[in-house]
Amino acid sequence: MFKLGLRSVLAHRLRFVLCTVAVTLGVAFAGGAMVFTDTLSHALKKNYAVSTADITVTPSSPIETGTDRPPTFQAGLADRIAAIPGVASAASQLLVSDVEILTPDGKPLENYGLTSFGASWPRDARVAPFKLVDGTPPSGRNELALDDSTASRAGYAIGDQVRIVTPTQAVTATLTATTTPVAAGAAAGAPLVSFDGATAQYLLLGQAGWTSVSVAVQPGSDADAVSKAIATTIGDSVKVRTAQQVTADGEHSLDSTFGGFSTVLVVFACLALFVGTFLIVNTFAMVVAQRSRELAMLRAIGASRGQVTGTVVAESVVIGILGSTLGLLIGIGVAVGIRFTYQLLDLRIPTASLQVSPATIIVCYVIGIGVTVAAAAPAARRAGKLPPIAAMRDDVTVPERSLLARISIGGFVLLMAVLLYAVGLNAGGTPGVVLITLGAGTGVIAIVMLSPLLSRYVVRALMYPFGRKAPVTLGRRNAERNPRRTSATASALMISVSLICGLMVIAASAKASINQSIADALGTSSILITSGGTPTFSTQIGDRTAQVPGVQSVHRVRQESGQVGKVSVRVSGVSDGTLDGPVTTTFDAGSAAVLGSGQAVLPRNLATTLGLTVGKTFDLATTTGKHRLTVGGILAPNRQLNAVLLSLPAYQKIGGPVTDNLLYVEVAQGNQVAEVRTGILDQLKKDYPSIEVRDQQAYAATAREPVNGVLAALGFLLALAILIALLGIVNTLALGVVERTREIGLLRAIGMDRPQLNRMLRVESIAITLLGALLGVVIGVVFAASVQSSMVDDGLAVRDIPVLQLVIAVAAAALFAVLAAVWPSRRAARLDVLRAIASE
């Protein structure tokens, strides 16, 4: 029976091509994501395995630092560690991210998403994270070193003047040496600039401090025993890890990072395969219907039900294997292309052989074959139920189940979806969004189950404006005659369109909310200053800005990560008067005056999450330890101040970094904002080319950019699902032409010309497409509007339904429907009339 299934595939190649394409595209997403992430993760894991230190000692931190300044310790710790028995040497080291390297023409060096690091020159070559390649080590504030790859890309040679922007200030120094990149850890392969120890502390931290101590163990000593001795001697203020432990921690971090990235792409791959399932279901249902006499003949000559079912399943297995193989090969090709692109850009991304793991291969084949066989199973079961006597009749058909059970279950599922929606709307916040999302998924399933009942009436209503001419009427009735087929084809498009429309509404609401929140929050500040290169920037920028003619005042905002209990929060330090003009605030309780006494102000949504009210105390954990604070005021939700707010003195008291994240600039009365902005740029751009000086409107436009980026990325991925859905329409029409060959021949014989035949098929295609598109629009808009209602206090205060964009989306779907009918209509028009009439 497997051979018979294989021969059936080979005998009808065209009708199975689109099924294979659907499987291939979905598997390619999954395979490519897994191969690329496995390869890069494997390459980066090698960095942790080549650690130059036997033991690494770092300051303990109660929170994960993320991209913030790492915790530090003071000088003297390395000397204490060096005195411990078994230690051969202990060298303090400093490694800080967010250093900006400028090219000779003063522009930031393009790093293609990599972070540049600044480091102290190693005192002991035995534990040095990087090595000297050429030149002499830097000494003093007028000398520095670059890794050789970065120096080459930027066009610097030893002796050149190099411009650097550190978190504390802009520097111009002489390049005295080139080095290898960092050999291990998070900075491995990244652009690197290094200074002597004292200069590194001054330029990178603005104060004394080290981020780690690298320890070499004496020959014959046990690293584990020495690390325990260090931990016992120094205490809980440090974290002591052997090289093996550093490797394990690094690999775990990479697995978490790449696992999340891979999971996102695999989810989209599953979505593509899910949409493709409708195409496969339709194809096999129509193929079994067309081959019903052939299958009944097999029963008549002795084949059992299981063998007939097995023949159809064998066809699906062949398609699954072929689609999975092609998808895996395409995915590997994409991964190779991405890796080659990084190498072409001359970035020191650690290289490794392409990692095509057995798990990746197994997952791709299990997904591809499993989805295909599952989609073909209903048609295979119906094929096995054909009675042998049917082979002797001309009107043999595959038995169809009643829609009663399907509609009953669909109605129950729809009721569940409505209940989830109702509970989610009342819950609000993140729990509400989760419930609404579950309700949306349940609702989609319900609509898919109920769509055969809806399709006949909806199609009739949609086609009414097209008139009652014969081709239109025939096209409409073709779409109505098999509600299961029409609804399955439309459902694939419905799912894709609902996701696209939901994203459009959420994105439009996010942009409108950003505009309103910024307009409501920004008061007297006419200009805002941020950095496009790094999250933080030197306090010198604020000092220079204050000296520009026309500037009345400059207000600073500083930020770092914190944690209250198990909740991650942002901690902001604001200068005096920031909440009294530059940022418009509304207090639910308390006032801005409490900041002066060292108390904290919280936005309402954060206070609700933490269960805090005015007068209550709480423990805030930062990289410098835990700090007891008192709530002095509660703010209405404010996009600009969505953090635990402290005065700058209180912020510095808890160890906040002395770098700014945002400056609010007030322009003195009688001065033009544009002129003052130009003056600020003239003052800053030479030394700080990444600094962005914008008015309120430009700042709001920049705040919307991440929404546009996310929407573009998700839209690209969802376009794949729409492509597969449109392939399903092409497949349905093409197989419909084969199924209705005799009918088409009779229509041509009684006078229907080719243009009328083309129009009939176009109407059928438009009817199916509009059914799916309109149902998708309704589901997407309802879902997005519900999510917005639940997130009024969490950043989506304004609901914006982009009607014009939604209309354009439906119109585009109709256009694609016309294009989808081109190939099937040409095939139908080329049929020989007499042969078509004679066909069975």
Side-chain angles (χ1 to χ4, degrees), residues 68 120 224 373 378 585 607 663 668 670 689 704 754 839:
D68 289 335
S120 60
D224 289 329
V373 172
T585 55
L663 300 178
R704 294 193 299 267
R754 288 185 177 183
S839 66

Side-chain angles (χ1 to χ4, degrees), residues 36-92:
F36 176 67
T37 53
D38 285 349
T39 299
L40 189 54
S41 177
H42 176 73
L44 292 174
K45 284 178 181 179
K46 290 168 61 178
N47 297 331
Y48 291 94
V50 296
S51 176
T52 54
D54 297 321
I55 298 172
T56 300
V57 181
T58 54
S60 293
S61 174
I63 66 169
E64 293 292 334
T65 57
T67 58
D68 289 335
R69 187 191 68 171
T72 60
F73 49 74
Q74 299 305 310
L77 181 64
D79 295 334
R80 294 176 61 193
I81 294 174
I84 295 173
V87 174
S89 69
S92 298

Side-chain angles (χ1 to χ4, degrees), residues 766-786:
I766 291 172
I768 296 172
T769 302
L770 288 180
L771 173 64
L774 291 176
L775 287 176
V777 168
V778 171
I779 293 174
V781 170
V782 170
F783 164 69
S786 302

Side-chain angles (χ1 to χ4, degrees), residues 531-552:
S531 174
T534 58
T536 61
F537 50 85
S538 170
T539 57
Q540 291 182 354
I541 292 174
D543 297 338
R544 290 192 188 183
T545 300
Q547 298 171 5
V548 174
V551 172
Q552 177 176 314

Side-chain angles (χ1 to χ4, degrees), residues 279-291:
L279 187 157
I280 299 168
V281 167
N282 249 9
T283 297
F284 276 92
M286 297 177 72
V287 168
V288 167
Q290 292 168 19
R291 295 173 52 205

